[in-house]
Amino acid sequence: MMSRINNLEDYAVDYRKSVTEPEKFWAEQAERFVWRKKWDKVLEHDFHDYNVEWFKNGKLNITENCLDRHLLNRSDKIAIHWVPNDPKEPDRTFTYRELHEEVCRFANVLKRNGVQKGERVCLYMPMVPELAIAVLACARIGAIHSVVFGGFSANALADRINDADARILLTADFGPRGSKKIALKEVADEAMENTPSIRKAIVLQRTGDEVNMVEDRDLWWHDELERVDNECAPEIMDSEDPLFILYTSGSTGKPKGVVHTTGGYMVYTAYTFRNVFQYKEDDVYWCTADIGWITGHSYIVYGPLLEGATSVMFEGVPTYPDAGRFWRVVDRLRVNIFYTAPTAIRALMAQGQEYVELYKLDSLKVLGTVGEPINREAWEWYHHHIGKGHCPIVDTWWQTETGGIMISPIAGVLPTKPTYATLPLPGIQPVLLDNDGNELHGNGVEGNLCIKFPWPSMLRTTWGDHERCKNTYFSTFKGYYFTGDGCRRDEDGYYRILGRVDDVINVSGHRLGTAEVENAINMHEAVIESAVVGYPHDIKGQGIYAYVVCDADKLEITTVPEIKDEIMDVVIDKIGKIARPDKVQIVRGLPKTRSGKIMRRILRKIASGETSNFGDTSTLLDPSIVDSIKIGVVKDE
Ligand code: WT7
């Protein structure tokens, strides 16, 4: 069996096999792992009444594969090299042996606090090693982790805790980020006022600054660790037992809990990590994502550890203390593989060359991007100034729901093309459909990106609501998984992702539903209704533009700038800073059709600076509204 794709021919062979004999192909990949009991059947699936099972009746524990499996040959190899936000603070490193021990200890802390197999544990943490340790500790005992990104507000956190019915919350006093400190415990306290299911909060001392501790509910992480021993046998899980829930935004207002299970997710994240990045035994790999997103789950925690990699984990932000921070870390730790988001590349590019020129960057071999389409300028800058023209860029397209990378170059194997995710990985069968659901064959076509055959790490359900999962992903185009993305397949058969075709916007690689932001805006007492759209933004990729209709009486007592500020505050309060609108325009009405539907197409055009070519506007109830909106459009600062 081929352990790695080394050249174009390997790719062609693997790809063909993955399509003609998918079960055999994935069984061979799965053989590399420790299974306590082998599966009876590799795959069972139904894309109509959605159900997928991989490695059916197989028994395993994913942490045994991430940790115990490496103790023989890699026990002293560094698994995680942690770099703190403040460059004056020391780094912390964990070998595989040490990480194994820490995970077992924290798993015992969870057990001591009554956490059972299958129970949900919510994590609201800074990017510290304890976050990775706690994630793995959950998996060790079969608890389902639900990590909530530290930038979400108390309301958003409470919604996610309640939806998952989580029993334990893991958090920290504060989370340092750049020159700021996020008051995680304070936000968690506010959230816990409305989360009846939470029994205990275990609080990590990150900064040591004072926080409020509630008796009988809040426990100190370090106190708990003193009460446990180092050994914790892995809980034996079924291949299809849920491993984690991760909330993500969709077209409707309510975020959904994407559920990933154990066996297939393990096999696929390891396979893609090894092949896409071409990770070699002594490489140092760095993914700059936050574990609060899927990229961090699959390519900071699980994928790299499954492959026994040395990985850098970074607490800070790209521009602190200055825009050379990434490159200083790359030089200092001799990073070979660097994986980041287009928004970070654009932000650093805008800061100028001098921050790059100070560094050698000669350890780099492979560069990656993820999260949003990368524009040509950013791709070229990354290629020439960071990769010095010799590092392949893997532009990896995938989603929270797909669990792992789906369409991407294989570093150094598949020729790259600026702004193209290029070709599907083995096991992935993408198709482009027109709006009537017909498959578009051949090259030089553009349509809705769907996947027509299951892959091991696809989502299994949305937590507590399987109907929603079916409706969202399997009903638009019968018999296909619909991604929500538009895509072009060019003359060479290469795929280029064009962006979302639904009401999802992608702000700095963070996914938000327009309805979710509108719901928040509408909570402001002066607001009658609102419509939110994305518009092109130089750094963020997309910015958030909100059109808001206010009660005329209320507008008389509050000035427009005041109302705009208040609206932004409501959004920060309901969702978090990541959802704060970049522009708010108070309008007298929204362009609606006679049947009451908002014509978002027009609003998107106005927000992106167009003043004509609005297409057919004959169905508008009041066409004069469009002109009035055009006059008041909010310009860039
Ligand atoms: C959406 C998924 C996958 C981890 C981070 C985002 C967009 C993602 C790319 C890429 C163009 C991309 C898509 C996708 N996207 N990667 N390489 N090129 N677009 O995960 O929050 O679930 O968002 O991000 O629109 O549907 P997510």
Side-chain angles (χ1 to χ4, degrees), residues 41-284:
K41 195 162 187 301
V42 176
L43 171 65
E44 228 164 77
H45 76 289
D46 178 350
F47 265 17
H48 289 275
D49 191 21
Y50 180 52
N51 173 53
V52 158
E53 289 169 277
W54 282 93
F55 309 110
K56 201 178 160 90
N57 295 327
K59 305 284 177 202
L60 75 158
N61 186 290
I62 195 168
T63 71
E64 187 166 28
N65 284 286
C66 288
L67 302 168
D68 309 56
R69 189 163 60 103
H70 303 306
L71 293 184
L72 202 60
N73 300 322
R74 300 190 180 99
S75 63
D76 294 325
K77 180 175 175 178
I78 290 174
I80 295 179
H81 186 127
W82 179 75
V83 177
N85 176 65
D86 180 352
K88 290 195 279 300
E89 237 187 89
D91 291 6
R92 290 166 68 195
T93 59
F94 295 80
T95 63
Y96 274 91
R97 193 208 323 275
E98 289 163 342
L99 188 63
H100 175 263
E101 186 179 314
E102 297 291 338
V103 168
C104 288
R105 289 179 69 84
F106 200 72
N108 287 333
V109 167
L110 294 175
K111 273 190 178 167
R112 232 183 74 81
N113 284 286
V115 179
Q116 307 275 320
K117 175 175 178 173
E119 261 185 7
R120 276 76 56 208
V121 174
C122 181
L123 297 88
Y124 186 66
M125 303 269 298
M127 273 290 284
V128 288
E130 285 79 0
L131 169 55
I133 289 165
V135 160
L136 292 162
C138 290
R140 187 81 175 172
I141 65 168
I144 301 170
H145 54 80
S146 168
V147 184
V148 176
F149 174 62
F152 280 112
S153 70
N155 280 295
L157 174 61
D159 287 348
R160 286 156 177 77
I161 290 173
N162 290 332
D163 188 80
D165 192 26
R167 305 298 157 87
I168 301 267
L169 177 64
L170 307 178
T171 189
D173 47 7
F174 289 86
R177 266 181 86 72
S179 54
K180 301 198 188 77
K181 263 191 323 189
I182 301 174
L184 292 168
K185 178 61 166 62
E186 200 181 302
V187 179
D189 281 343
E190 200 188 321
M192 284 188 285
E193 284 170 21
N194 299 304
T195 57
S197 61
I198 291 289
R199 289 192 307 253
K200 291 266 154 65
I202 305 179
V203 186
L204 178 79
Q205 251 180 358
R206 169 62 186 97
T207 64
D209 293 295
E210 199 171 313
V211 289
N212 179 45
M213 294 291 275
V214 174
E215 220 180 303
D216 296 330
R217 186 195 70 188
D218 299 348
L219 305 166
W220 285 115
W221 198 289
H222 55 271
D223 286 346
E224 290 302 296
L225 278 176
E226 275 177 19
R227 306 196 168 108
V228 293
D229 63 37
N230 293 352
E231 259 144 74
C232 177
E235 188 74 33
I236 305 309
M237 308 299 288
D238 189 89
S239 180
E240 283 298 338
D241 277 337
L243 176 63
F244 65 86
I245 305 173
L246 187 58
Y247 285 85
T248 191
S249 300
S251 301
T252 62
K254 197 171 164 272
K256 44 186 179 252
V258 168
V259 176
H260 283 289
T261 59
T262 308
Y265 178 82
M266 172 181 79
V267 171
Y268 195 76
T269 52
Y271 177 79
T272 50
F273 175 76
R274 182 169 74 253
N275 283 297
V276 170
F277 300 107
Q278 293 284 303
Y279 183 85
K280 308 271 158 52
E281 187 64 46
D282 295 320
D283 286 345
V284 175

Side-chain angles (χ1 to χ4, degrees), residues 248 293-295 369-374 395-401 421 483-485 497 499-500 506 509-511:
T248 191
W293 310 111
I294 190 71
T295 308
T369 80
V370 59
E372 43 171 329
I374 182 165
D395 177 355
T396 62
W397 173 82
W398 57 297
Q399 311 178 292
T400 304
E401 294 86 342
T483 65
D485 281 312
I497 309 300
R500 302 288 303 200
N506 195 323
H510 301 152
R511 182 166 151 187

Side-chain angles (χ1 to χ4, degrees), residues 549-569:
V549 183
C550 288
D551 185 328
D553 296 342
K554 301 253 168 57
L555 262 186
E556 270 170 22
I557 23 181
T558 325
T559 67
V560 167
E562 273 169 2
I563 280 248
K564 287 187 179 183
D565 283 349
E566 285 176 22
I567 286 171
M568 297 205 190
D569 287 344

Side-chain angles (χ1 to χ4, degrees), residues 2 6 18 140 151 166 179 274 319 321 378 382 395-396 399 471 506 515 540 548 570-571 608 620 622 627:
M2 242 182 274
N6 290 312
S18 79
R140 187 81 175 172
S179 54
R274 182 169 74 253
T319 49
Y382 200 30
D395 177 355
T396 62
Q399 311 178 292
N471 288 335
N506 195 323
K540 299 177 175 185
V548 184
V570 174
V571 177
S608 60
L620 280 175
D622 176 4
D627 292 318

